């Protein structure tokens, strides 16, 4: 069902505004705006929007007080009001009046016409839109006034100028956008929010569907254990693999196995498992466990400090304020002390308590001299932003029906839509990003959810499809202006591919832990996270609980994977051991090598005739030595924690199995060694940006990448705003 832009604007004021409608908010707001006379300016402005006639004006009905009360708890809104009032006063002085309130009503209306037409810039337009939506919401919907229907039946003095205002804002129907974003995962969603808050008009094209958490996620159904994340068949991407490496006898202890079923890969060659990428509104954050990590500062300087990979073209201090913004939006809960990752402000929410099973791991780590601390997680440890706190069902990977997990759809996308400056289209497969003359992108071609081919242009184009699909789209977009692929002037598109290096060990503990409940990754060991923390190896790793991610939460998997055999003894053993599984995972750094890259499959194509991405993967000696350390340490942690027997281990040595992938459109200051610059902008194509993990020069020592993607996307959006203000996004 289509909504008007003003409807979205009224929603954008959020639960705080609507909650305050339920009762009087007569706090002392005299000094909220900070400057003498500003409150009178705001009151005169609001009374011009809703003047007195047979019924009270906006101010007479308390609208000014309510807006000031909202501003007192919303710093962004307060800044907008301050700037808007300053602009109104400046316009009044240009007219020869001492103050805006001293202007006649006709003069005030003419000034407001300028604001409505964005004569003062995007933020003035935003001031007009948001204050108008708030004024109407408070004035016509305030409970207890008793005059609602009478007032709505009266003619409005604003009709004569509101109508052309709406007519001038039909950009959504006309596909008149400032920026087109391809992909609605961590990068695309964060970009949409960050741009729309500045009043920049964005269109988000997502190949996958939108998910309804209540209807689509099955944690409340009897078949929850058989149902992993509910991938929808429509527009789920395909990919192929190049030849994978032979397995060597010297690394036999790194192979995957299960006590009941034996070796998981009986062959002597690495097998292609899965790239765990979700196409859908929210991307892969829809099924992630919510880990929200900042990169170790040393991971940004791998070349200068350790002689490997490449340095990031920015340092931790430059990224830190954008981390803070991302953490506020996805509402990260975490511990307040982390001496390595210096913080300028605390986490939005306190850390989650450790489950009983995790407390056993913490005790085991203590015996080994390791630290085991609460993890930073985008899952609510208390109600926040209109969403409930976590109920610790451990089902994050299957999709969160309660919306307490900070996936992009319920955080960034939701906020972007309520701004009124964002349109999202799902089920839209982009076919080509067309390079044009003058080093600018001309058009984006896509197939919509009805199967029709569409064309859209925007001043800027953001690609946010992930480190496999982004290089595929760029390479498949070759034309006469970009014969080697879009953005591939350096030949670096698809190179430097980094995958997930992972190990999981699972065992049976001596006592019942009820390990099927609790936050999946509530705790973590960072002791080996720094690039030089593992003796004799460059690149770090981290350790955390993995019972949920290993899908060892329900009785079906216990019967098939934990307890061997069948019959009466099997039933008795099931009753004895259920809830005793303890799993520890390790995620490690992956250093790029010349045999790991993404290219286009020469033979396989999708239903639109576009070549599929081909994943070429290789683990070299450094990765295998790091994986060896990860395996040994995970086993040590389990045994120290009271595990009596390990029954299963999973490894990315004998299977390609990646949730996180990086590096195929590297960012760097040197155009010959990279695809984009320090702001995610193509070195050649001036209106092309990339905001996903493909821009990462290094992968980090096991950190989940979504928070870094989001922080980079917000930073890129800030850059785009500056470029737009200079007129660099005119049509090519």
């Amino acid at each position: 069902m289509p909504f008007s832009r003003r409807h979205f604007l009224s929603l954008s004021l959020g639960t705080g505004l609507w909650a305050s409608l339920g009762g009087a908010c007569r706090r002392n707001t005299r000094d909220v705006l900070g400057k003498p006379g500003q409150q009178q300016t705001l009151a005169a402005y609001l009374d011009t929007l809703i003047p007195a006639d047979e019924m009270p004006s906006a101010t007479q009905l308390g609208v000014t007080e309510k807006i000031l009360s909202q501003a007192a708890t919303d710093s962004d809104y307060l800044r907008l009001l301050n700037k808007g009032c300053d602009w109104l006063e400046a316009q009044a002085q240009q007219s020869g009046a001492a103050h805006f309130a001293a202007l006649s009503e006709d003069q005030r209306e003419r000034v407001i016409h300028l604001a409505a037409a964005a004569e003062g810039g995007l933020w003035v337009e935003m001031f007009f839109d948001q204050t108008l939506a708030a004024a109407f919401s408070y004035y016509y919907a305030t409970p207890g006034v008793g005059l609602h229907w009478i007032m709505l039946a009266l003619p409005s003095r604003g009709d004569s100028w509101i109508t052309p205002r709406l007519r001038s804002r039909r950009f959504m129907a006309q596909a008149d956008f400032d920026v087109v974003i391809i992909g609605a995962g961590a990068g695309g969603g964060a970009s949409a929010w960050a741009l729309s808050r500045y009043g920049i008009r964005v269109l988000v094209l997502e190949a996958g569907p939108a998910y309804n958490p209540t209807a689509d996620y099955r944690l409340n159904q009897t078949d929850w254990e058989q149902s992993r994340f509910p991938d929808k068949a429509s527009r789920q991407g395909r990919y192929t693999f190049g030849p994978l490496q032979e397995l060597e006898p010297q690394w036999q202890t790194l192979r995957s196995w299960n006590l009941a079923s034996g070796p998981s890969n009986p062959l002597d060659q690495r097998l292609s498992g899965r790239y765990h990428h979700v196409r859908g509104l929210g991307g892969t954050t829809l099924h992630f466990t919510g880990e929200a990590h900042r990169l170790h500062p040393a991971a940004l300087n791998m070349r200068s400090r350790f002689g490997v990979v490449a340095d990031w073209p920015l340092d931790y201090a430059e990224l830190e304020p954008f981390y803070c913004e991302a953490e506020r939006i996805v509402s990260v809960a975490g511990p307040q002390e982390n001496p390595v990752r210096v913080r300028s402000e605390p986490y939005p929410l306190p850390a989650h308590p450790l489950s009983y099973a995790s407390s056993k791991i913490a005790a085991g780590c203590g015996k080994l001299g390791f630290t085991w601390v609460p993890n930073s997680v985008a899952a609510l440890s208390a109600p926040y932003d209109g969403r409930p706190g976590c109920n610790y069902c451990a089902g994050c990977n299957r999709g969160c029906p309660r919306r307490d997990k900070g996936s992009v759809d319920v955080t960034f996308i939701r906020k972007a839509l309520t701004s009124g400056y964002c349109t999202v289209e799902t089920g839209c497969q982009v076919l080509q990003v067309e390079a044009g003359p003058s080093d600018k992108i001309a058009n984006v071609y896509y197939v919509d959810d009805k199967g029709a081919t569409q064309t859209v242009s925007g001043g800027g184009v953001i690609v946010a499809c992930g480190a496999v699909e982004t290089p595929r789209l760029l390479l498949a977009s070759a034309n006469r202006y970009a014969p080697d692929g879009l953005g591939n002037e350096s030949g670096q598109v698809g190179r430097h591919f980094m995958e997930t290096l992972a190990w999981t060990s699972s065992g049976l503990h001596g006592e019942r832990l009820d390990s099927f409940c609790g936050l999946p990754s509530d705790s973590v060991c960072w002791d080996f996270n720094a690039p030089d923390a593992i003796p004799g190896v460059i690149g770090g790793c981290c350790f955390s609980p993995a019972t949920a991610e290993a899908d060892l939460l329900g009785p079906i998997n216990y019967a098939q994977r934990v307890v061997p055999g069948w019959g009466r003894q099997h039933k008795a053993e099931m009753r004895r051991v259920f809830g005793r599984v303890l799993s520890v995972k390790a995620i490690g750094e992956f250093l790029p090598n010349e045999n790991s890259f993404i290219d286009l499959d020469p033979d396989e194509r999708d239903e639109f005739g576009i070549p599929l991405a081909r994943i070429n993967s290789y683990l070299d000696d450094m990765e295998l030595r790091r994986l060896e350390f990860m395996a040994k340490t995970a086993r040590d942690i389990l045994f120290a924690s009271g595990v009596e027997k390990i029954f299963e281990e999973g490894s990315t040595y004998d299977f390609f199995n990646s949730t996180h992938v990086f590096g195929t459109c590297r960012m760097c200051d040197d155009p010959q060694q990279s695809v984009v610059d320090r702001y995610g902008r193509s070195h050649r194509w001036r209106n092309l940006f990339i905001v996903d993990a493909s821009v990462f020069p290094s992968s980090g020592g096991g950190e989940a990448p979504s928070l870094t993607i989001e922080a980079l996307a917000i930073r890129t959006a800030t850059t785009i705003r500056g470029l737009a203000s200079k007129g660099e996004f005119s049509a090519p």
Side-chain angles (χ1 to χ4, degrees), residues 83 85 110 183 205 273 478 524 553:
K83 293 184 71 173
C85 288
R110 282 196 291 271
L205 298 175
V524 65
L553 299 178

Side-chain angles (χ1 to χ4, degrees), residues 150 168 212 218 309 314 320 424 485 489 492-493 512-513 534-535 558 569 620 712:
I150 298 174
S168 70
N212 181 331
R218 304 183 56 81
V309 200
L314 68 161
E320 200 276 337
V424 173
E489 292 73 32
Q492 299 294 301
V493 171
R512 179 173 170 176
L513 306 172
I534 302 173
Y558 267 76
Q569 184 177 352
D620 67 11
L712 288 171

Side-chain angles (χ1 to χ4, degrees), residues 100-298:
F100 179 81
L103 294 173
S104 68
E105 185 171 328
D106 287 341
Q107 289 174 317
R108 293 199 301 270
E109 285 185 356
R110 282 196 291 271
V111 171
I112 295 173
H113 274 298
L114 296 177
E119 292 291 331
L122 289 172
W123 64 266
V124 173
E125 183 185 27
M126 197 171 178
F127 165 76
F128 168 78
D129 284 336
Q130 293 208 16
T131 50
L132 181 67
F136 283 172
S137 297
Y138 285 128
Y139 190 82
Y140 294 112
T142 305
V145 174
L147 301 172
H148 310 84
W149 301 113
I150 298 174
M151 288 188 290
L152 287 170
L154 290 174
S156 169
R157 295 191 58 155
D159 285 349
S160 62
W161 54 269
I162 291 174
T163 300
R165 168 65 179 166
L166 286 174
R167 191 159 54 239
S168 70
R169 300 306 292 163
R170 290 185 302 171
F171 59 83
M172 296 306 180
Q174 296 170 350
D176 180 17
F177 300 98
D178 299 312
V179 177
V180 177
I181 301 173
I182 305 169
S191 299
W193 168 78
L195 291 169
S196 62
R197 66 171 174 167
Y198 294 135
I200 295 174
R201 301 163 299 184
V202 299
L203 170 67
V204 180
L205 298 175
E206 168 55 47
Y211 282 82
N212 181 331
T214 303
D216 290 332
Y217 303 145
R218 304 183 56 81
L219 292 179
N220 63 334
Q221 303 297 313
T222 56
D223 64 347
W224 68 269
E225 191 181 358
Q226 296 101 312
S227 306
R228 299 296 308 256
F229 182 82
D231 287 319
K232 296 186 178 182
S234 173
R235 302 288 165 82
Q236 286 302 318
R238 295 189 295 128
Y239 47 86
T240 64
F241 286 89
L244 296 173
Q245 71 201 83
E246 299 290 325
L247 301 177
E248 303 177 32
Q250 70 182 95
W251 303 113
Q252 182 67 25
T253 58
L254 299 183
R255 299 189 66 155
S256 307
W257 63 278
N258 175 271
L259 185 64
S261 58
S264 303
N265 175 4
L267 305 179
D268 292 328
Q269 184 176 29
R270 195 173 182 229
L271 294 179
S272 57
R274 185 181 175 194
Y275 166 40
H276 296 266
H277 176 71
V278 176
R279 285 192 176 191
L281 191 62
T284 306
T285 68
L286 294 171
H287 82 84
F288 77 154
T289 59
E291 290 182 280
H293 299 150
R294 298 180 174 199
L295 284 173
H296 192 293

